Amino acid sequence: MPREQSTRTESTSAQERVVRHGEGPLLALGAAGTGKTEALARRLVRLANEGIATERVLVLASNRAAARRLHERVEALLAGAHGVAGAYGELWIGTWEAIGERLLRDHSDAAGLDPFFDVLGPAERLAMLLDRLDDLPLRRHEIRGNPSGLLARLLERIDALKAAAVGPEAIEARAREEEASASDAPSKETAQREREFAELFTAHDRILAAAGSLDRGDIFLALNCLLTDRPDVCQEIATRFTHIMVDELEDTTPAQRSILAKLAKVNPNHLYALEGGGGKPDASPAGGDVVTLDNQFRDPPVRFWRCANERAQAQAVVREVERLLAEGTFPEAICVLIDEPAARGGPVAAAMEERGIPFHLAGPAALFQRPEVRDALAWLRVLADPADSAPAARALTRPPIELGPTDLARLTTISRRRKLDMVSAGEAALGSPQVPPEARERIQSFLKLYGEASAAMEERRADVFVRRLIERVGLRRQRLFAAEPEVAERLLGLSRLAELAAAWARREPHGSTRDFVRYLSAVAEAGVEPAGGEEPPSPGSVQGLGRAAARGMEFEHVFALGLEREDVTGRIGRPARTGLVFSRIERDGDTEIRPSSFYDAALAAAGVDEEAHEEELFGPAEGLHSTYRKLREEVLEASWKAGRELSEPRLDTAVDVNRAIARHLELLKLAALAQRPGEETMAEAIEAVNGLLRQVATPEQQAELDASPLDAYLLDSEREGDRRRKLIAARHEPSLEAFLPRRGDGGLSLSASDLDLYLTCPLKYKFARVFGIPQEPTINQRFGILIHNVLERFHKEKGEAEEDGLERLMDLFEAGWRRSGFGSSDDELQFRDRAREAMRRYWERESAGEGEPAWLERKFDFQIGPHHVRGRVDRVDRLPGGDHELIDYKTGERKSEADLESDLQLALYRLAAREAWGLEARTGSYYYVLDADKVVAPTRSDDAERVERTVLQVGEGILGQDFEPTPSPEVCGWCDYRLICPAAES
């Protein structure tokens, strides 16, 4: 576990002033690591020793970790003072949320609250809003097919406003003023959107009140109102606690500080600990003294890493972690600080798993990145909706079914061609001669499990069903008997999922399991913190935490990653006692990234050099450290056995003792090899170390060393690494050959979207184009198809009388809207409103334009090397000077010319016009329909060469079946295949 300050016995004079402070207010001011928290703990113990009951001293902490640490430290000090653990009263040490909720329950009648009110977190509130989506005022907020994401962002804003003690009335009043003073349409629209947000804010609170619930922000607003409206209650609470102490005052909100101010007017015995460098902040208690703590207890040496990319950064962390573990550091004493752990922790988690290091990645959505939880979620989703293809594919390819990739490709082919969901396609595949017998057996096993679970799903409560599903599918059993160090971590993940189901069932006693699956999917999609209590600690694992989650915790070694980003380099504090690493990446693809100003300032202040880390395929030191850790366990077992035999000697005791000593010498050998300098080969290094060991080993011990397989294992590992490098360089998966988009002799059929998809992520290309996993079109895709069809018909049917052109365009749009099956939800109506305005502006621009459409939806097909490049251009305009312009309609976010500097699609279209049509088109443009803006893509002299090079490179990658994922938060957040992608797991 993280190391506490429990071993510290000495105090500085400044700490003693805090500990000995008597009546009245006091501010303890100091940087992180100067002992402020320790001083608060010692002061509480001093008060208890002087006869003040511990339940009359209130201590408030910023988060659960800080509160737990304070609680444990006070308990240890009190036990030492009284000689018996627990020989004291109740400790009122907790988070603001926990203490505030407890006080409200104690005074619920005075506050006008149901004494059994629930406090709901973001996940429960998101589910409540999604259930009432059609009733929410969201006409002016862009949903864009992702209501969960929009509502999660709006809930974050509501929470921030409540923390600042700002309610919907203030938002509404300000928006009315801005609307009245708006001088243009965009400003007026912004003000109206703010008014709508105020309505949503009010509706959110009304829904909570109707359910007899509060959110976390309501706790402090209600407590503020109670203290203001009921002076008697304020007097009772203020005098109930003779002393109030607040740790990390800098993390408090205006609403929380308002509570402190009200209580301090009645009882001024407040002591606040504040991180700062000097001066008396506004938040300090009025009229109080200030004690500055400047003796640094945590001042570890800081190293600065410049890593080539995220993978190199993850490898560097893991190498260092393995070294620390080899030296005896406990895993839980090591922490990796990651901004947005769920989105950016994947590379570190993957690198840890490669080296067999147990790693616990915490964070709001981290639970849903764990493989075992994603397996369970896949089964739940496909049971709730058999047409949901991605979870069906995961359930089929993961244990216990483990359908192979070629058989999955056959199954998805049946699904697409026969227009069946994946479950029905599985039933059809049982009679297909193309599916081999072994695959049919696996599919039959899947269908049997699916049938049994589907029947039980309708009959059982969500919590009972989830636990039964985990056991029936064998998810827990697979983990229980796996010889991996992270088994306990993964079992915790499954237990956490079952606890979430139980917590949901308590809140929704009449809800179905399908309702729970919808709730769980929405929470996972939005990335909000799931309900169900605090996530249990993970002993024996390296900790991966966000910066906020690490507040109040201490570790021996901390790695702070991502310090190239300005928006995440806030207060890191001093969470490390022994070693601290600040790390940044210097490249994202071909783009160079500058370090943040925080990193630059810290580097300049430290006056040291950066350490450079490049990406490695297989680092020999990593293997040696891993082997060292494994052998260390063997050495301990051998030592224990030899020690037992020394106490009860037998004839072969000397043999076991010599064997144990030989294992110790091998451990020494591994340590020497892992730290060897220079470019010495493994064989040369082994020979040199063996020569030194021969000088100290006895003949019996040398015989044990000669008989050991360690040297052969190390040399084989090095050769295996070379072999794996060669395999990666020339990887071949003939099993998927039949499913590649072949055309002609040895070539592929490729389009501009295929190229973009592969360049974005080769694994996504494999899922979409090779496996062809069916996906329901999103509302964005349906809308884009509608706009393309409407504009094509408009120009094709263009008549002589153009004065009625706008009316005809609108009629075409309305008819297309009806035929496309759009409804009347806010999301759909937003698209409709934007489209009607876009059609009007499109007509105006077309009426004033000089170009004349010469071809619409014109197809092309030409060859680059062995590959056929195909596609169609939305529109080709003939310009007055005789030139031609290629136009591609876009209904997504507008890009500038600078964004299109390296654009591939229009460069390919220009090459296609020349090769396929014999037409020189000098200009290519994107027409952003919803913005009524046409952006010309820059042309470069090497465009044709660039297109040809890209087509050949992509073709080579596909033919070589190189489908390695290229994860990034920006791309992965919108991917349809997240659930089945191994790169999205931790």
Side-chain angles (χ1 to χ4, degrees):
M1 292 186 296
R3 297 292 180 87
E4 310 295 347
Q5 292 179 325
S6 55
T7 57
R8 187 182 303 158
T9 56
E10 78 287 352
S11 296
T12 66
S13 58
Q15 279 183 309
E16 280 301 312
R17 286 183 60 195
V18 175
V19 172
R20 296 295 169 189
H21 178 71
E23 303 290 318
L26 179 71
L27 177 69
L29 184 67
T34 53
K36 301 185 297 297
T37 303
E38 176 73 5
L40 298 188
R42 288 177 178 273
R43 183 168 188 263
L44 193 159
V45 173
R46 198 259 310 166
L47 293 172
N49 290 338
E50 292 179 356
I52 297 176
T54 54
E55 60 266 26
R56 300 204 65 195
V57 181
L58 174 62
V59 185
L60 294 161
S62 61
N63 58 36
R64 290 170 178 166
R68 183 169 56 246
R69 177 173 157 235
L70 250 172
H71 200 285
E72 292 171 355
R73 179 61 177 145
V74 169
E75 281 185 331
L77 290 171
L78 285 171
H82 294 272
V84 181
Y88 44 83
E90 181 184 10
L91 294 177
W92 270 72
I93 301 173
T95 64
W96 276 91
E97 288 81 4
I99 298 296
E101 180 182 343
R102 187 170 176 182
L103 291 174
L104 274 183
R105 292 194 189 280
D106 288 348
H107 300 277
S108 55
D109 287 342
L113 297 172
D114 183 332
F116 302 104
F117 66 83
D118 287 324
V119 178
L120 304 185
E124 303 99 313
R125 292 152 58 210
L126 174 64
M128 294 177 75
L129 293 182
L130 285 172
D131 286 343
R132 299 161 177 81
L133 184 63
D134 291 340
D135 300 326
L136 298 177
L138 292 171
R139 286 285 276 114
R140 298 182 184 277
H141 286 76
E142 289 191 19
I143 301 174
R144 284 300 185 104
N146 184 20
S148 297
L150 172 66
L151 290 174
R153 292 191 297 274
L154 293 176
L155 285 174
E156 284 183 7
R157 188 181 176 200
I158 288 173
D159 290 343
L161 288 167
K162 287 189 175 184
V166 177
E169 300 82 5
I171 300 293
E172 168 72 17
R174 186 177 63 197
R176 284 184 180 277
E177 292 177 4
E178 291 174 351
E179 184 179 6
S181 61
S183 58
D184 54 35
S187 299
K188 188 171 184 178
E189 173 65 25
T190 300
Q192 290 173 341
R193 186 162 52 249
E194 274 295 276
R195 289 186 61 186
E196 184 179 80
F197 171 73
E199 291 179 42
L200 176 72
F201 197 159
T202 301
H204 164 270
D205 287 355
R206 186 170 59 247
I207 292 169
L208 286 183
S213 303
L214 304 176
D215 61 31
R216 293 167 188 170
D218 287 333
I219 293 174
F220 310 114
L221 296 178
L223 200 52
N224 261 305
C225 290
L226 176 64
L227 298 179
T228 301
D229 298 341
R230 292 290 300 269
D232 57 322
V233 175
C234 182
Q235 176 76 23
E236 180 183 342
I237 293 176
T239 55
R240 175 179 182 174
F241 303 106
T242 59
H243 295 271
I244 294 178
M245 294 188 284
V246 180
D247 197 12
E248 296 179 327
L249 183 70
E250 66 277 5
D251 288 338
T252 56
T253 67
Q256 292 166 349
R257 290 194 292 273
S258 177
I259 293 171
L260 292 176
K262 290 180 174 66
L263 295 176
K265 288 180 180 179
V266 180
N267 178 3
N269 293 333
H270 286 211
L271 192 157
Y272 304 155
L274 174 71
E275 183 176 321
K280 187 174 179 180
D282 295 337
S284 61
D289 293 332
V290 177
V291 175
T292 301
L293 288 76
D294 50 19
N295 188 53
Q296 188 55 252
F297 288 99
R298 300 195 302 272
D299 191 18
V302 182
R303 297 164 61 189
F304 295 83
W305 287 0
R306 184 182 73 252
C307 303
N309 51 40
E310 286 194 342
R311 173 69 175 160
Q313 180 175 252
Q315 289 176 332
V317 170
V318 171
R319 280 195 298 272
E320 188 67 12
V321 167
E322 286 201 306
R323 183 186 66 79
L324 294 171
L325 295 176
E327 292 175 354
T329 304
F330 293 114
E332 57 266 35
I334 303 171
C335 175
V336 184
L337 291 182
I338 308 167
D339 178 56
E340 301 177 62
R344 301 181 180 276
V348 176
M352 292 283 187
E353 187 166 9
E354 285 175 9
R355 308 313 309 163
I357 299 174
F359 181 62
H360 178 77
L361 186 64
L367 176 69
F368 300 107
Q369 288 189 307
R370 298 176 189 170
E372 67 283 0
V373 174
R374 291 158 70 84
D375 289 342
L377 185 57
W379 276 96
L380 288 169
R381 282 180 54 178
V382 75
L383 285 166
D385 180 9
D388 200 350
S389 300
R394 183 178 182 96
L396 282 160
T397 54
R398 295 280 294 175
I401 307 302
E402 297 185 284
L403 191 68
T406 54
D407 299 319
L408 176 65
R410 292 187 180 100
L411 192 60
T412 54
T413 300
I414 294 172
S415 174
R416 288 196 318 276
R417 290 179 177 174
R418 302 191 189 183
K419 293 182 169 52
L420 300 172
D421 61 58
M422 292 286 282
V423 177
S424 301
E427 294 171 346
L430 296 179
S432 172
Q434 281 77 34
V435 179
E438 182 187 355
R440 283 200 292 270
E441 288 182 11
R442 294 182 186 277
I443 294 172
Q444 185 67 60
S445 299
F446 167 79
L447 293 174
K448 181 181 178 182
L449 281 173
Y450 180 88
E452 294 173 354
S454 183
M457 188 178 194
E458 307 299 334
E459 302 169 358
R460 303 195 180 190
R461 279 199 338 260
D463 54 336
V464 177
F465 178 78
V466 168
R467 291 184 186 277
R468 178 60 183 148
L469 178 69
I470 289 172
E471 298 298 336
R472 182 64 185 87
V473 176
L475 299 175
R476 191 187 306 277
R477 188 167 58 251
Q478 297 158 27
R479 305 299 170 192
L480 191 60
F481 295 104
E484 300 174 354
E486 68 273 13
V487 169
E489 169 73 11
R490 295 192 170 181
L491 289 175
L492 279 175
L494 291 172
S495 298
R496 177 83 170 118
L497 182 64
E499 289 167 7
L500 291 182
W504 183 89
R506 286 194 296 271
R507 291 193 310 273
E508 304 285 346
H510 304 297
S512 68
T513 302
R514 293 181 190 278
D515 294 333
F516 170 69
V517 176
R518 282 193 292 272
Y519 157 78
L520 202 63
S521 299
V523 169
E525 184 79 18
V528 296
E529 180 182 1
E534 184 177 3
E535 187 170 354
S538 181
S541 298
V542 176
Q543 304 297 303
L545 302 172
R547 287 182 180 82
R551 296 302 311 278
M553 303 177 75
E554 289 183 16
F555 300 88
E556 290 299 326
H557 298 272
V558 172
F559 302 84
L561 310 186
L563 298 189
E564 71 281 354
R565 302 178 62 203
E566 290 287 354
D567 58 330
V568 302
T569 52
R571 191 162 52 90
I572 293 177
R574 292 179 179 269
R577 298 174 64 85
T578 306
L580 179 61
V581 170
F582 287 165
S583 177
R584 69 176 180 96
I585 62 173
E586 61 177 344
R587 289 193 305 274
D588 182 8
D590 295 328
T591 305
E592 184 176 350
I593 304 175
R594 291 285 308 152
S596 66
S597 55
F598 170 87
Y599 182 94
D600 272 341
L603 180 62
V608 297
D609 294 330
E610 286 184 303
E611 302 174 29
H613 294 274
E614 297 292 331
E615 181 178 355
E616 298 177 2
L617 285 178
F618 307 100
E622 295 181 13
L624 288 169
H625 282 304
S626 181
T627 307
Y628 180 94
R629 285 191 297 106
K630 293 175 184 176
L631 184 61
R632 185 178 61 187
E633 300 303 319
E634 294 182 16
V635 167
L636 291 174
E637 291 181 10
S639 300
W640 187 262
K641 180 181 178 182
R644 183 177 65 246
E645 293 184 359
L646 282 173
S647 63
E648 300 176 3
R650 300 198 315 253
L651 292 176
D652 60 350
T653 296
V655 174
D656 288 333
V657 171
N658 279 319
R659 185 171 294 138
I661 294 173
R663 296 285 81 79
H664 275 283
L665 292 175
E666 287 187 323
L667 199 63
L668 183 62
K669 178 196 294 188
L670 281 171
L673 293 173
Q675 300 173 74
R676 71 185 189 275
E679 300 298 325
E680 201 174 21
T681 67
M682 179 68 75
E684 292 170 340
I686 288 175
E687 182 58 35
V689 173
N690 284 344
L692 293 173
L693 293 179
R694 289 190 192 98
Q695 299 177 27
V696 297
T698 66
E700 294 80 3
Q701 294 160 6
Q702 185 60 52
E704 289 289 341
L705 290 174
D706 292 340
S708 170
L710 178 62
D711 289 356
Y713 170 78
L714 294 175
L715 292 171
D716 285 345
S717 296
E718 187 174 54
R719 285 191 290 269
E720 176 68 10
D722 292 337
R723 187 183 70 83
R724 291 172 69 190
R725 290 188 189 91
K726 293 174 182 176
L727 283 175
I728 283 184
R731 184 178 323 188
H732 188 55
E733 294 184 18
S735 59
L736 291 175
E737 181 72 24
F739 302 96
L740 299 180
R742 290 283 194 176
R743 183 177 174 188
D745 296 330
L748 299 170
S749 177
L750 298 171
S751 67
S753 60
D754 292 336
L755 297 174
D756 179 67
L757 186 58
Y758 187 88
L759 293 171
T760 299
C761 179
L763 185 58
K764 186 175 182 180
Y765 176 90
K766 179 182 179 180
F767 290 146
R769 300 291 195 264
V770 181
F771 286 157
I773 297 173
Q775 291 291 328
E776 287 292 320
T778 66
I779 187 173
N780 297 289
Q781 292 167 335
R782 291 167 54 211
F783 181 71
I785 292 169
L786 168 64
I787 294 298
H788 278 70
N789 291 339
V790 167
L791 296 181
E792 180 187 5
R793 286 195 60 189
F794 172 71
H795 287 293
K796 278 185 176 178
E797 300 173 4
K798 193 170 183 180
E800 294 295 328
E802 281 309 302
E803 59 274 4
D804 63 344
L806 178 58
E807 182 180 351
R808 188 165 57 84
L809 181 57
M810 290 301 188
D811 289 343
L812 286 171
F813 171 74
E814 293 295 345
W817 181 267
R818 291 190 297 271
R819 283 196 302 271
S820 300
F822 285 100
S824 57
S825 69
D826 278 344
D827 197 4
E828 292 165 312
L829 292 179
Q830 285 172 11
F831 275 107
R832 186 172 181 271
D833 290 346
R834 293 189 68 191
R836 288 180 61 84
E837 175 63 17
M839 293 297 98
R840 182 186 63 78
R841 295 168 67 186
Y842 181 88
W843 164 250
E844 292 174 353
R845 185 180 182 111
E846 284 301 300
S847 300
E850 296 181 344
E852 183 69 23
W855 294 279
L856 301 168
E857 300 293 330
R858 188 172 184 184
K859 296 181 181 179
F860 61 82
D861 193 327
F862 69 105
Q863 274 193 264
I864 295 179
H867 309 301
H868 286 261
V869 182
R870 55 178 171 75
R872 66 178 67 196
V873 180
D874 291 337
R875 175 174 153 187
V876 182
D877 274 12
R878 184 180 295 109
L879 303 178
D883 288 338
H884 289 84
E885 180 182 17
L886 308 179
I887 298 175
D888 188 72
Y889 297 130
K890 296 292 186 186
T891 53
E893 184 179 352
R894 179 190 180 279
K895 292 185 178 180
S896 66
E897 282 194 37
D899 296 329
L900 300 173
E901 184 65 33
S902 300
D903 177 69
L904 183 71
Q905 181 180 344
L906 287 176
L908 185 148
Y909 284 3
R910 287 193 296 273
L911 180 61
R914 188 177 71 209
E915 296 294 325
W917 308 333
L919 183 71
E920 287 293 340
R922 298 181 181 177
T923 307
S925 304
Y926 288 113
Y927 198 119
Y928 294 97
V929 180
L930 296 182
D931 296 285
D933 191 15
K934 189 164 64 173
V935 180
V936 177
T939 59
R940 291 164 32 179
S941 58
D942 66 340
D943 276 347
E945 180 187 347
R946 183 164 57 93
V947 170
E948 292 174 358
R949 183 171 63 248
T950 302
V951 169
L952 293 174
Q953 287 176 349
V954 169
E956 182 182 359
I958 295 171
L959 290 174
Q961 299 182 39
D962 181 5
F963 298 121
E964 288 297 311
T966 53
S968 72
E970 293 75 18
V971 173
C972 297
W974 295 95
C975 181
D976 295 326
Y977 304 101
R978 288 191 302 277
L979 187 62
I980 55 175
C981 178
E985 296 179 353
S986 61

